[in-house]
Amino acid sequence: MQFRMMKTIIEPFRIKSVEPIRFTTEKERERILKDAGFNPFLFHADDVLIDLLTDSGTAAMSAKQWSGIMDGDESYAGARSFYSFEKSVKDITGYQYIIPTHQGRAAEKILFTILGGTGKSVPNNTHFDTTRANIEYSGAEAVDLVIDEGKDPNSLYPFKGNMDIEKLENFIKETGPENIPIGMMTITNNAGGGQPVSMENLCAVRNALHNYNIPFFLDACRFAENAYFIKLREKGYADKSVKDIAQEIFSIADGCTMSAKKDGLVNMGGFLAMNDEKLAQQARNILIVTEGFPTYGGLSGRDLEAIAQGLVEVVDEHYLRYRLRSVEYLGEKLIAAGVPILQPPGGHAIYINASEFAPHIPPEQYPGQSVVCELYRVGGIRAVEIGSVMFGKKDKKTGEFIPASMELVRLAIPRRVYTQSHIDYVVEVIIEMFKRRQSLKGYTITYEAPMLRHFTALFEPVS
Ligand SMILES: *Cc1c(COP(=O)(O)O)cnc(C)c1O
């Protein structure tokens, strides 16, 4: 794979502060699963040994970030911490107006409150679930236009997050540019497996949108991981620094939404950034109603300080090399054991292909949920289903079940949290499960909420 020729790529840090993890027995875990309605979102986190539920807000902060926490200025307006946050975000993005929000979805909510609404349509490579929910909540439609390779779990195409430019152009013509208030690209493409987008494709999307005067925004949650993939895989970028590449990425777009809980290396925070002054003013007016004054926007001064430092550390190439390698390492071991995963490994997670792992479970019995429950039962590992529980639908007229395009189980790797031996343990558990995968059972949903049902749904095993 991309790092095979080198010596072991080690964690580029030493550990100063540790947090114990709690061991449970298989019997205890069977009870915990039952009590949680077989939905790992409803566990007590203390009952989890290795938590791969998400890479969002789960990073370990550095000593410098923790010292920034002590140094935070908690003034209501004009805090020093806001200006260090603003400077750090501007340094990477180059955008003029930087609006702090308490997390990524708050930035999305503000953006689509202004730009969304009935009759509007917003294209993206693949909308993340909160982005889609915020667009649909405004009355608009969220449209996914990722390339076909991005939907093929076995394709080794290097930029599976790319948008299909022909589909985008047809979409603009059919929908009418006046009905498309904005176009987006998610880097890396989280819902499509953490797959990167190439610089070439970003430019092509920008050109297609700008031809019709449609603004172009990035969902920039994992911009640093995407930039490092560009360095490794795209012609002409091998000798550029990741920071230069990141700056070039942002320069292509007109603005971004960001969850700093990913590549901000913090536990809470986000921002909305843009060059359009009028849009920024509208956004700040909503911010004041929903988040807070424009120099804190739902965050403490200390949070802003930690983001400012996180954005410096995340473009460090020793960090990124370790980050991408640690995910690839898990992928390599699973592939070697014959476990079906989405290829090639993404930037923040490995995705088990549950339709191949448990082909005897039909999509309407949620094979991904079955793998997720078994991972916990056998090994105390928490993962998340990204398949028909998350994205499956019922046909509005016939009530017929419409499955998601893929049945995946995501093993998201928190940043700087687990060591190689934790990952080796995860591999052992999965291989043990894989050997007796025939015993996995399907599930039915016994309760579901009208939106984002995966967070609170309850399940029962099919007998
Ligand atoms: C996490 C995420 C969001 C939402 O951010 P939150 O901070 O969780 O609100 C939006 N888009 C993508 C691609 C994400 O990964």
Side-chain angles (χ1 to χ4, degrees), residues 279-453:
L279 185 63
Q281 196 166 32
Q282 288 174 290
R284 283 187 176 133
N285 290 341
I286 296 173
L287 185 84
I288 292 178
V289 179
T290 60
E291 292 279 293
F293 190 73
T295 62
Y296 73 86
L299 292 169
S300 301
R302 53 180 172 271
D303 296 328
L304 294 167
E305 213 59 73
I307 296 171
Q309 177 61 24
L311 289 175
V312 173
E313 294 173 10
V314 80
V315 291
D316 177 272
E317 295 187 20
H318 291 292
Y319 161 72
L320 283 166
R321 192 167 67 142
Y322 139 79
R323 170 74 180 152
L324 265 56
R325 174 59 194 162
S326 59
V327 175
E328 188 192 62
Y329 175 84
L330 170 58
E332 252 174 40
K333 297 248 159 170
L334 294 178
I335 292 165
V339 178
I341 66 163
L342 193 147
Q343 298 234 47
H348 65 292
I350 290 296
Y351 296 71
I352 295 174
N353 184 348
S355 359
E356 286 180 24
F357 195 102
H360 59 288
I361 303 175
E364 58 270 26
Q365 290 183 12
Y366 311 110
Q369 196 65 21
S370 173
V371 172
V372 162
C373 290
E374 192 68 0
L375 268 168
Y376 180 71
R377 197 184 68 78
V378 175
I381 299 161
R382 178 157 69 168
V384 66
E385 193 261 13
I386 300 196
S388 289
V389 175
M390 200 180 264
F391 295 117
K393 284 187 206 149
K394 277 195 198 100
D395 187 284
K396 283 192 187 110
K397 287 191 200 113
T398 63
E400 203 184 326
F401 172 82
I402 308 169
S405 60
M406 294 193 257
E407 301 294 339
L408 302 175
V409 170
R410 186 181 73 178
L411 306 163
I413 313 297
R415 294 171 179 78
R416 307 190 291 204
V417 171
Y418 293 116
T419 63
Q420 190 166 325
S421 62
H422 290 116
I423 299 299
D424 285 332
Y425 169 82
V426 171
V427 170
E428 288 163 17
V429 170
I430 296 172
I431 291 175
E432 186 188 317
M433 277 170 55
F434 188 59
K435 283 187 185 143
R436 37 177 194 72
R437 57 191 179 278
Q438 245 61 34
S439 67
L440 266 67
K441 288 205 171 78
Y443 283 79
T444 52
I445 293 181
T446 57
Y447 162 78
E448 62 183 294
M451 285 170 85
L452 299 175
R453 68 173 177 184

Side-chain angles (χ1 to χ4, degrees), residues 27-85:
K27 220 180 162 102
E28 284 172 313
R29 291 193 293 272
E30 278 167 7
R31 181 189 51 77
I32 290 162
L33 268 168
K34 207 156 176 252
D35 290 350
F38 299 91
N39 183 346
F41 279 106
L42 305 178
F43 291 169
H44 288 231
D46 271 353
D47 294 331
V48 176
L49 185 65
I50 307 258
D51 203 347
L52 307 182
L53 180 69
T54 175
D55 65 321
S56 178
T58 52
M61 291 206 294
S62 67
K64 272 202 177 155
Q65 286 178 295
W66 281 110
S67 70
I69 294 273
M70 277 311 293
D71 200 32
D73 175 359
E74 305 302 340
S75 304
Y76 190 94
R80 171 174 26 86
S81 299
F82 170 73
Y83 294 106
S84 66
F85 160 83

Side-chain angles (χ1 to χ4, degrees), residues 56 103-105 108 128 130-131 186 190 219 221-222 259 261-262:
S56 178
Q103 55 184 101
R105 71 196 69 183
E108 294 167 351
F128 182 64
T130 61
T131 322
T186 306
N190 185 3
D219 178 340
C221 298
R222 297 178 183 80
S259 169
K261 300 171 72 168
K262 287 54 174 271

